Amino acid sequence: MCAPAGDTTTDTVLGDGLLSEGGLREARAARATLPPYSLAIRAPSIRCAETAGALGLETTLEPALRDFDYGMWRGRTVAEVVMDDPYTYSAWLTDPDAAPTGGESVRQLCRRTAHWLSSLPHDTGRTLAITEPAVVRASLVHALSAPARAFWHFDVPPLSPVSLTLRGGRWHVRPGDITPERAGTTRAAPMPCSAQNRRVLLWGEAVTDERYDLIARV
């Protein structure tokens, strides 16, 4: 479950931060919807720690689930970055090898996440991962063998489940339920310049009843 904080709105602060009261209420309300699990882990961010606390979970910290390294953009809002450096920001959203100054590219994040997934012991069991939207996107890129350019095409609404199952050496993806008013819709990401009209997709309905072992709720 990633913290109930968006990562594509213009007022989003790039980097870590406290959850809003609304975010905490949403997380508390999600307690009853948690899937079965034998182990709960979380990213090292404050928002993931607060999300875990609001859910009443005892979690083990997993550094590999950390968010992007935003470099010189850390602590600034998207709007501020777009105003000061629109071309670099646009490149970061369209070129998987572009990165903030001193920060991390999409491809680097995808490789880091893929390495973590590949290193999980076979007897891990059902694990609930409290993590970041970017890490869930990177996990989907790896599980679906998608190109790194597909990263921003995955929209991960807060508190909606995505489960990954490793079976026969291959990952299988099961998206969670999407509320009726959101299913089949799109939402624009704040991309400057030529990327302004690019859109990202929401998950459709799940159509499989296969068992799942690794769960990331986003």
Side-chain angles (χ1 to χ4, degrees):
M1 174 182 286
C2 88
D7 64 346
T8 58
T9 59
T10 56
D11 60 348
T12 296
V13 175
L14 298 173
D16 200 4
L18 299 172
L19 293 185
S20 66
E21 285 300 320
L24 287 170
R25 286 195 300 270
E26 291 175 4
R28 294 187 190 107
R31 287 187 183 186
T33 67
L34 288 176
Y37 64 91
S38 56
L39 174 68
I41 61 178
R42 68 169 177 86
S45 66
I46 295 173
R47 59 173 164 263
C48 286
E50 289 194 332
T51 299
L55 289 166
L57 297 174
E58 293 186 7
T59 55
T60 299
L61 190 148
E62 176 49 71
L65 296 177
R66 65 189 182 277
D67 198 8
F68 269 116
D69 180 350
Y70 291 102
M72 296 293 291
W73 295 350
R74 187 182 298 109
R76 307 183 67 193
T77 67
V78 171
E80 289 170 343
V81 171
V82 169
M83 181 177 295
D84 292 345
D85 195 4
Y87 297 105
T88 302
Y89 184 74
S90 179
W92 184 60
L93 294 174
T94 55
D95 179 356
D97 293 309
T101 302
E104 190 173 29
S105 70
V106 165
R107 195 180 305 278
Q108 288 172 322
L109 174 65
C110 288
R111 286 174 176 168
R112 166 161 60 88
T113 305
H115 176 74
W116 173 71
L117 285 169
S118 299
S119 65
L120 288 172
H122 292 293
D123 60 351
T124 297
R126 295 183 174 185
T127 302
L128 177 63
I130 313 298
T131 187
E132 313 283 349
V135 173
V136 177
R137 289 190 179 99
S139 298
L140 292 171
V141 166
H142 177 66
L144 297 172
S145 299
R149 289 184 180 278
F151 179 89
W152 291 111
H153 290 279
F154 295 115
D155 197 8
V156 285
L159 309 180
S160 64
V162 174
S163 50
L164 307 179
T165 306
L166 183 62
R167 185 172 58 252
R170 298 176 60 186
W171 286 103
H172 298 261
V173 177
R174 179 179 179 178
D177 296 332
I178 297 295
T179 55
E181 63 271 19
R182 299 189 69 173
T185 65
T186 61
R187 121 178 115 79
M191 300 184 182
C193 305
S194 60
Q196 184 66 45
N197 294 323
R198 182 174 174 180
R199 302 183 73 80
V200 289
L201 305 178
L202 290 178
W203 281 109
E205 297 179 352
V207 293
T208 176
D209 59 357
E210 295 172 333
R211 178 177 176 272
Y212 52 91
D213 298 307
L214 178 66
I215 306 158
R217 292 182 58 86
V218 298

